[in-house]
Structure formats: structure tokens, C-alpha cells
Amino acid sequence: TTTTTTEAATTPTPSSTVAPSAGSQCAADQVLGSALGASVAAGSTVGRANNGSIPDTCADNSDAPDAVFVWLAPEAGRYRVDTVGSSFDTVLAVRGGPGCGSLLLACNDDGVDTGFQSALEVDALVTGELFVVQVDGFGVEAGNFVLNIAKVNATDSDSPTPSSSSSS
């Protein structure tokens, strides 16, 4: 598992975009609030900026455009974040705190049972904990994406959790 947790939660003022924090490389495209379910965000990475910041241990040399979102955990617990339903080989990163320069909590390329889409799990310590979710592409891939976020039930936590990988 590539999941770690942060010690404190940060809650932004809701808006349509979030400015980058000091030392970050990107601004969020959209604040998702505490949305859960299938397709909490969908769109295309074609023509977007490459915010970089996905570590090479997760996706070797990702020069692809990406989409960045701010998400607030609706309650403490474990959450699955995935790109199942996307039309291209995705890479997914979740950071704790505002901006792409914040602490990397988890990243994944080619999650378990998702083919070329990505899946990972993160732990929220408190209600309203802020996460930055980055949907990227492997190499230079871009296309239509779907972002799904679901709370993991205690009985689901026995299933395998995807780890960082750079296979395609």
C-alpha cells in the first residue's frame, strides 16, 4: 500500500478554483466538495497544462497534461479514488493539503483490476480533511477521464490495495 496520512486537516473556502499554495506547481481545476460516487468529475485532459509533480516512482517520465481537483473527506475513514471508465492510460496522485507541491499520500498507475486506469486508497483522519487529486496520463497520453471516489467499508479493506507501479 502506498497510503500515508497527514496529521492535520485543512479546509479551503469553497470556490470554483483554488490558487496554488507556496511551493506548489498547480491550481485546482475544480473544488469537488465532499462528493462521493461514480463520476464526481469527468472531462478531458487534452489541451490542459502538464503540472508535473507525479513522481517517477509512480509514472516514469509523465509529460502528459492533467486535471487537478480539491476534495474534502465527508467523514474520517478510508476512501478509494479511481479513474475507472476513462478512455486512456491514466496515472492518479492524491496529496494532503492545497497544491501539487503538498505531501504525496498515494499514487498509482494501472490499478488492480482496472486495466490501464488507476486506483488507490487514502485515509482521512477527520471530517473535512483536504486532498488534492491529480488525474494524469502515462507518458504523453491524454483523453477523456472519469474520477470516482467511494468510501471503503471495513469489510472491503481486506481486498488488495494497488501500490505504486509504472507498468503500462
Side-chain angles (χ1 to χ4, degrees):
T1 303
T2 57
T3 303
T4 53
T5 57
T6 58
E7 292 182 19
T10 308
T11 304
T13 302
S15 65
S16 60
T17 62
V18 173
S21 62
S24 69
Q25 295 97 348
C26 67
D29 296 307
Q30 182 179 357
V31 175
L32 301 175
S34 295
L36 290 175
S39 194
V40 297
S44 177
T45 60
V46 175
R48 292 178 182 255
N50 173 19
N51 289 295
S53 75
I54 299 277
D56 285 345
T57 57
C58 188
D60 193 28
N61 299 317
S62 180
D63 291 322
D66 51 54
V68 180
F69 303 93
V70 171
W71 179 73
L72 303 169
E75 63 183 342
R78 178 166 283 238
Y79 293 88
R80 176 185 166 97
V81 181
D82 69 58
T83 58
V84 174
S86 298
S87 68
F88 66 106
D89 187 354
T90 62
V91 177
L92 187 61
V94 175
R95 297 179 179 277
C100 289
S102 55
L103 176 67
L104 179 68
L105 301 177
C107 66
N108 179 262
D109 174 38
D110 303 339
V112 174
D113 298 329
T114 63
F116 290 121
Q117 286 84 46
S118 305
L120 53 82
E121 291 182 359
V122 292
D123 292 321
L125 298 179
V126 296
T127 298
E129 186 167 353
L130 183 145
F131 295 95
V132 172
V133 180
Q134 187 173 5
V135 177
D136 205 345
F138 184 83
V140 295
E141 290 201 37
N144 294 325
F145 68 87
V146 176
L147 180 64
N148 311 296
I149 303 174
K151 187 151 197 280
V152 176
N153 296 324
T155 57
D156 294 340
S157 62
D158 294 334
S159 63
T161 302
S163 61
S164 294
S165 136
S166 56
S167 63
S168 269

